[in-house]
Amino acid sequence: MRGAQRRVPHLGVPGPTAPLDTPHPLDGIRTSVRSWGVAAETTSSSAPPRARVGGGRVGVLRVPDWPVVVARQTGALPAGGEQGAPGAIVHALRLVACDEQARADGVRVGMRVRDAQAASPMLALAPADPVGEALAFERVVRAVLAVVPAAQPIGDGALAFRMRGASRFYGSESRALEAVRGALDPLGLSASFGVADDRFTAELAAQLGRETIVPAGRSRDFLGPLPVGVLGDDELPGMLHRLGVHTLGGFAQLPDDSVRDRFGEAGLVALTRARGGDDRRVDDSGLGEERALRLVFEPGIEGVQELALAVREPVERFVRQLAEQRLVCSEIRIVLRGEEGRVSERLWRQPGFLRAGDIVDRMRWQLTEGDLGSALVEVQALPERLDADAEHMPGLWGGGDIDDRTKHALERLQGMLGREAVLTATPGGGRLLAERGVLTPWGDAAPAQAAGPWPGALPPPRPAVVFRPPLPVRLLDAAGAPVEAAALDVREGAPAAFSPPAAPRRRVVAWAGPWPIRRRDLGDVVHRVQILDGEGEAWVLLQADGAWLAEGRYA
């Protein structure tokens, strides 16, 4: 094997997820601080501006009621909206999140389940799933990283991102937020945005509405009227209230030494945030780096066996590091780049999850079929879907999923005979029988089912045998002449004999039809007929361009 320089980035895991939902700290004061939008630049300040310690502007994106959004996407909760039911998330018999419909009925986070159901009888409930929510949020982070240089999940359906480079690239902070909002459109998500000199202020600004931009140097003015409860610490706000300090502005005026003596270092951190000096930086989540495998080869690789030897150890380490985070990959995108710049990109999926050997095999197959036209110089493996490993553990009494022995047998056959030698069937959409069942190689992502309706499609039960492509047959009347579908339509020239593929002629016992199907690729109108022959076999026939074809046979 040629010498190969391989680089495997360190794999990371996002920080701990924040609580699923908390009582909104800005309820009741939205009106008083609503002026802190873009037009807030004209508001005067009595306190001197203070620059952010960490440097640079910070934007925060927040998807409202994120736990409920994830539960609806996964089917744990029914669809919402005007015709749907209100939804809420439950943990330990108390609500930890709810949607706007539930709040309109008087439901609030922290309620006991029975109290919430009494307030909203149609309330739909789902158990909390913080791991699933964190994994689902990675799609949001990837979408945002496509338009801004750095983004970091901060929990509760929110992420922080750097504004400096984005605002320069797009021309202004408002245009940068428009770009981020556009990146979320394909995901079907709506979000609120906040921009400020520091992360704490931007987080609070994002809770006000669709878009709130605090002008540079004005974070302290924005924070001043807010209640101390927004600090998020139950003990500190309570003690401040007993001291007669009810707003962040009042808290910010306290001397540093007094706060340190009374509340310790944690109190000093809260004081710095109340003054608009939160120094927490936005760290790049590294989803494109930490949970991706990138290998560069110099010189390039020519054959599949050489590729398998070069990538096996890094792929095994990559999968092992995911396992240490209690994660498994069920969908992966593999990108191959040739020396002359040609790129092959493909999404791979298989039932269950992908092991190291599965990923190596897919790299080999993709190199064989990709036709890069030159030596392979770079391989990237980008997980498209990461699941908690507990989701793929066998149940106590077994499960309905395909067992490991069957998977290993199929993978071994595929390795010996080729990728397209082992096929799996998935439901499809179309009028013809061959379109109703789509065959894809084992391990490939099944194509998306085209939306109906499909007028002329054969209703169930459908034939057990479908011919791909349909086989030519002969359908004759009593005089031995070919039967025309137009004659059958007026009940003339009834079929009397049938010649199946590679079999002697049989008599027709019964028949039904014809039913027209309009297909341009098979002619202006295709006619379908069902017949029962003298051997007791039932057939589905098509007439296209004057010729009869056997589409399927009932078992």
Side-chain angles (χ1 to χ4, degrees):
M1 181 185 76
R2 296 182 181 179
Q5 298 178 358
R6 302 189 295 272
R7 180 170 66 87
V8 183
H10 172 70
L11 300 178
V13 55
T17 305
L20 294 177
D21 204 349
T22 57
H24 203 300
L26 303 183
D27 284 346
I29 62 169
R30 293 173 184 261
T31 303
S32 63
V33 295
R34 180 66 67 182
S35 61
W36 282 102
V38 178
E41 296 178 351
T42 60
T43 305
S44 62
S45 170
S46 59
R50 176 168 178 171
R52 179 175 178 265
V53 177
R57 301 275 283 172
V58 178
V60 170
L61 171 156
R62 184 173 181 270
V63 181
D65 311 320
W66 175 248
V68 179
V69 172
V70 175
R72 294 200 191 281
Q73 291 178 343
T74 59
L77 284 178
E82 296 181 358
Q83 304 299 326
I89 305 300
V90 178
H91 178 68
L93 298 180
R94 288 189 179 271
L95 268 60
V96 294
C98 63
D99 61 8
E100 190 63 34
Q101 289 179 271
R103 286 191 288 271
D105 291 341
V107 176
R108 294 293 181 267
V109 171
M111 272 187 174
R112 293 180 296 182
V113 171
R114 62 182 181 183
D115 295 335
Q117 290 175 326
S120 179
M122 300 301 295
L123 183 67
L125 302 176
D129 182 17
V131 174
E133 293 157 17
L135 294 175
F137 198 70
E138 292 187 0
R139 294 181 300 147
V140 180
V141 181
R142 287 194 178 95
V144 174
L145 284 174
V147 295
V148 299
Q152 175 187 355
I154 56 178
D156 196 21
L159 64 84
F161 55 93
R162 300 174 191 166
M163 286 297 302
R164 182 178 180 182
S167 60
R168 287 182 177 181
F169 181 81
Y170 293 103
S172 69
E173 292 180 341
S174 295
R175 291 181 179 178
L177 296 184
E178 290 178 6
V180 176
R181 188 176 289 110
L184 297 181
D185 288 341
L187 302 180
L189 298 175
S190 60
S192 58
F193 295 88
V195 180
D197 291 340
D198 65 289
R199 184 173 131 184
F200 178 69
T201 306
E203 290 178 14
L204 295 179
Q207 299 182 39
L208 289 180
R210 180 174 176 83
E211 181 178 311
T212 304
I213 299 178
V214 179
R218 307 287 285 279
S219 292
R220 187 164 179 171
D221 293 336
F222 170 82
L223 295 172
L226 301 184
V228 292
V230 300
L231 292 171
D233 188 325
D234 293 335
E235 182 178 356
L236 178 60
M239 297 177 68
L240 290 174
H241 281 302
R242 289 195 292 272
L243 292 173
V245 179
H246 304 292
T247 65
L248 293 184
F251 182 40
Q253 295 176 8
L254 298 180
D256 292 9
D257 293 340
S258 299
V259 173
R260 181 187 296 109
D261 294 341
R262 187 67 178 260
F263 304 110
E265 292 300 323
L268 279 181
V269 172
L271 180 63
T272 301
R273 294 178 181 178
R275 291 172 175 173
D278 185 5
D279 62 351
R280 289 177 295 174
R281 297 179 179 271
V282 177
D283 298 323
D284 191 351
S285 67
L287 291 181
E289 291 285 341
E290 296 176 348
R291 290 184 180 168
L293 176 67
R294 182 173 179 266
L295 306 174
V296 179
F297 306 102
E298 180 60 38
I301 287 179
E302 298 287 351
V304 293
Q305 296 303 324
E306 187 178 355
L307 171 64
L309 291 173
V311 303
R312 185 170 299 279
E313 190 273 336
V315 169
E316 289 176 350
R317 184 166 62 248
F318 169 68
V319 173
R320 186 166 56 250
Q321 288 173 310
L322 286 179
E324 291 172 356
Q325 304 170 31
R326 306 300 302 272
L327 297 173
V328 293
C329 178
S330 55
E331 293 182 17
I332 193 165
R333 186 176 302 277
I334 296 177
V335 181
L336 308 179
R337 184 170 63 87
E339 193 172 16
E340 296 179 357
R342 190 176 298 179
V343 175
S344 170
E345 181 175 345
R346 191 164 191 169
L347 177 65
W348 297 91
R349 178 193 305 150
Q350 77 170 22
F353 62 94
L354 292 156
R355 298 175 175 82
D358 302 328
I359 298 175
V360 173
D361 286 342
R362 280 145 185 81
M363 289 179 177
R364 293 192 301 108
W365 298 336
Q366 188 166 328
L367 180 61
T368 302
E369 303 170 4
D371 188 21
L372 296 178
S374 58
L376 175 67
V377 295
E378 183 180 348
V379 175
Q380 294 185 42
L382 310 172
E384 288 289 320
R385 179 177 176 182
L386 292 172
D387 299 329
D389 57 1
E391 297 182 15
H392 295 271
M393 290 182 179
L396 182 61
W397 311 112
D401 195 8
I402 186 170
D403 59 74
D404 288 339
R405 290 184 300 174
T406 304
K407 286 193 289 188
H408 292 162
L410 294 175
E411 291 164 3
R412 182 172 178 81
L413 284 174
Q414 198 172 39
M416 293 187 298
L417 304 177
R419 186 178 67 90
E420 296 187 355
V422 181
L423 305 177
T424 57
T426 56
R431 297 174 177 85
L432 302 182
L433 292 177
E435 298 170 336
R436 305 297 293 180
V438 180
L439 299 178
T440 55
W442 170 265
D444 281 19
Q449 181 174 345
W454 302 107
L458 193 67
R462 299 185 179 93
V465 179
V466 177
F467 302 110
R468 302 167 183 265
L471 303 177
V473 296
R474 298 185 65 193
L475 189 63
L476 308 175
D477 59 17
V483 173
E484 295 292 336
L488 292 178
D489 200 23
V490 295
R491 292 300 185 262
E492 295 181 359
F498 166 65
S499 297
R505 181 181 299 181
R506 304 174 182 177
R507 66 187 181 92
V508 175
V509 177
W511 62 278
W515 299 280
I517 305 173
R518 286 174 171 79
R519 286 289 299 252
R520 293 182 179 179
D521 55 342
L522 297 177
D524 292 337
V525 179
V526 177
H527 295 274
R528 176 181 278 142
V529 174
Q530 293 175 316
I531 66 168
L532 176 66
D533 63 24
E535 300 295 327
E537 291 185 334
W539 301 74
V540 178
L541 307 181
L542 295 174
Q543 188 186 51
D545 293 333
W548 286 98
L549 303 171
E551 187 183 14
R553 184 181 70 240
Y554 291 92

